[in-house]
């Protein structure tokens, strides 16, 4: 069976502009589950991964509000917590769909650690906005008392904490996961790995890893997972139908089929939104450089059609 890594975007797990309630997440995931059920029915061996931006933001806020009673957890621990809740959400909604599509599987979550480098420039230049908005005076206090980096977002009228978003260099559990795959793991199981980009850790040597306060972009983690498992295809599911040139400009054009060289040119020309489409395109190029055959970028519901070449952007070597 052709091996496929599917990366679920934030919108598959929580409604944009919604209340953030669990019920809304269940409804969102139901749509994604239908798409994944059909993809499994097409005979793909699927390995899942997913983002966690809004969920980590909510956990940070809970920690902040409760800090006088419950000592706050560091960010790497919150990423681990998000892997737990989202793995549960995905399993609950996806298993019935897989059974319905004639491909019953237990959806099994594999919380994962990703090694990052302390020399990654992301630690000197935190760039990923997380959590709530603060006023200017709150922001100044947090800079002074906690050493946080905060940035002003004029459009939304507030200050937000920025955390480092380093590149994942190695997947700690890769070898043991490959062993499971070679023992026919996916005959009974649809695995979820590296949720939320994985828990960022530093390699201290002698089998010891230390968690770090950072978050890893799930697009880069998905590309690394795809390379580790030798997947032929990587599908990055998001909330737009495809990759656009001139996004939101009068000359906007959706890319159907694009080769690596052309996409690299567009990337270098600054076509893709920093922190949104840009990491997907970089991850696509990284996966294809590492031996992958094809990357699909499309909206969640279109996955089955994108696999047949009828929707989304298809990137090829
Ligand atoms: P996800 O949770 O799926 O990673 P993101 O918000 O990080 O979602 O990325 C998807 C967003 O990328 C789209 O909603 C769109 O607004 C934005 N985007 C930026 N540049 C482009 C582009 N050139 N083509 C398509 N979408 C783009
Ligand atoms: Mg994103």
């Amino acid at each position: 069976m052709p091996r496929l890594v599917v990366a679920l975007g934030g919108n598959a797990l929580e409604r944009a502009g919604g209340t953030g309630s669990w019920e809304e997440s269940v409804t969102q995931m139901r749509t994604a589950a239908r798409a994944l059920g059909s993809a499994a029915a097409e005979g793909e061996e699927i390995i899942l991964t997913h983002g966690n931006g809004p969920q980590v933001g909510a956990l940070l806020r809970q920690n902040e509000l409760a800090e006088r009673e419950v000592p706050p957890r560091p960010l790497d621990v919150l990423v681990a917590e998000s892997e737990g809740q989202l793995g549960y959400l995905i399993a609950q909604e996806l298993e019935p769909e897989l059974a319905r599509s004639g491909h019953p599987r237990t959806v099994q979550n594999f919380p994962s650690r990703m090694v990052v480098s302390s020399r990654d420039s992301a630690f000197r230049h935190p760039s990923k906005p997380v959590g709530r908005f603060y006023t200017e005076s709150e922001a100044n206090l947090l800079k002074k008392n906690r050493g946080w980096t905060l940035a002003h977002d004029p459009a939304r009228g507030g200050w937000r904490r920025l955390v480092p978003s380093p590149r994942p260099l190695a997947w700690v559990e890769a070898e043991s996961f490959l062993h499971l795959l070679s023992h026919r793991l996916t005959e009974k199981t649809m695995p979820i790995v590296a949720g939320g980009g994985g828990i960022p850790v530093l390699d201290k040597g002698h089998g010891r890893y230390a968690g770090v306060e950072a978050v890893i972009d799930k697009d880069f983690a998905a590309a690394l997972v795809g390379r580790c498992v030798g997947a032929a295809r990587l599908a990055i599911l998001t909330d737009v139908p495809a990759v656009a040139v001139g996004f939101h400009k009068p000359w906007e054009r959706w890319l159907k089929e694009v080769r690596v060289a052309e996409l690299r040119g567009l990337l270098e020309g600054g076509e893709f939104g920093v922190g949104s489409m840009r990491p997907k395109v970089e991850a696509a190029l990284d996966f294809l450089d590492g031996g992958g055959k094809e990357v699909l970028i499309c909206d969640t519901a279109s996955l089955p059609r994108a696999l047949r070449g009828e929707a989304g952007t298809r990137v090829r070597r």
Side-chain angles (χ1 to χ4, degrees):
M1 258 201 282
R3 188 167 282 170
L4 167 72
V5 171
V6 178
L8 295 174
N11 76 301
L13 307 162
E14 187 166 319
R15 189 160 67 88
T19 63
S21 74
W22 187 251
E23 290 72 21
E24 278 179 7
S25 291
V26 168
T27 308
Q28 286 300 100
M29 185 55 214
R30 222 157 258 177
T31 312
R34 274 193 290 273
L36 290 165
S38 320
E42 305 229 347
E44 301 282 338
E45 183 194 35
I46 298 177
I47 296 168
L48 278 175
T49 186
H50 61 81
N52 71 346
Q55 293 78 18
V56 158
L59 289 168
L60 270 172
R61 183 73 182 129
Q62 287 176 346
N63 270 259
E64 214 172 64
L65 289 170
E67 71 185 6
R68 291 215 199 120
E69 283 189 35
V70 185
R73 302 292 184 256
L75 192 49
D76 50 306
V77 178
L78 301 187
V79 173
E81 285 183 32
S82 77
E83 286 189 325
Q85 55 164 282
L86 294 170
Y88 167 54
L89 172 71
I90 295 168
Q92 290 277 90
E93 296 310 311
L94 185 50
E95 283 173 2
E97 283 299 326
L98 294 173
R100 216 169 60 86
S101 72
H103 284 71
R105 296 283 185 284
T106 297
V107 175
Q108 174 81 53
N109 191 14
F110 292 83
S112 307
R113 289 162 293 175
M114 288 284 177
V115 177
V116 300
S117 165
S118 59
R119 286 191 301 273
D120 194 307
S121 63
F123 288 105
R124 275 175 283 118
H125 308 287
S127 65
K128 172 81 186 168
V130 288
R132 72 160 173 122
F133 286 85
Y134 299 97
T135 64
E136 182 162 3
S137 55
E138 284 174 321
N140 287 333
L141 271 179
L142 290 164
K143 276 186 207 172
K144 206 174 99 199
N145 298 340
R146 306 215 172 154
W148 287 5
T149 307
L150 293 104
H152 189 225
D153 182 343
R156 299 210 266 174
W159 291 72
R160 239 175 142 196
R161 182 181 179 189
L162 297 179
V163 297
S165 184
R167 293 295 181 110
L169 301 177
W171 174 20
V172 173
E173 294 82 5
E175 205 182 310
S176 101
F177 187 74
L178 277 173
H179 183 77
L180 291 172
L181 281 181
S182 69
H183 285 74
R184 306 194 298 183
L185 171 75
T186 55
E187 271 180 21
K188 297 276 182 207
T189 305
M190 186 177 287
I192 305 171
V193 302
I199 303 158
V201 296
L202 299 175
D203 186 348
K204 295 295 188 182
H206 310 288
R208 192 170 284 283
Y209 298 97
V212 274
E213 294 224 68
V215 292
I216 296 171
D217 198 302
K218 66 108 181 29
D219 301 319
F220 295 130
L224 178 57
V225 165
R227 292 172 71 144
C228 288
V229 302
R233 296 208 273 185
L234 167 65
I236 303 179
L237 308 187
T238 183
D239 58 357
V240 281
V243 182
V245 175
F247 184 62
H248 281 173
K249 303 259 167 59
W251 57 90
E252 181 179 83
R253 170 168 72 87
W254 298 97
L255 294 172
K256 268 188 79 174
E257 177 112 29
V258 59
R259 297 274 168 178
V260 162
E262 188 192 347
L263 192 61
R264 192 165 275 132
L266 293 168
L267 176 72
E268 283 160 10
E271 280 288 341
F272 310 119
V274 175
S276 58
M277 190 49 74
R278 191 181 168 91
K280 295 184 206 329
V281 167
E282 288 178 323
L285 295 172
D286 180 50
F287 174 72
L288 296 170
D289 283 345
K293 291 206 168 55
E294 191 173 284
V295 176
L296 304 165
I297 301 176
C298 64
D299 63 273
T300 310
S302 299
L303 173 66
R305 292 179 52 237
L307 289 170
R308 296 194 297 266
E310 295 164 8
T313 297
R314 176 201 293 257
V315 192
R316 283 179 165 168
R317 257 186 297 173

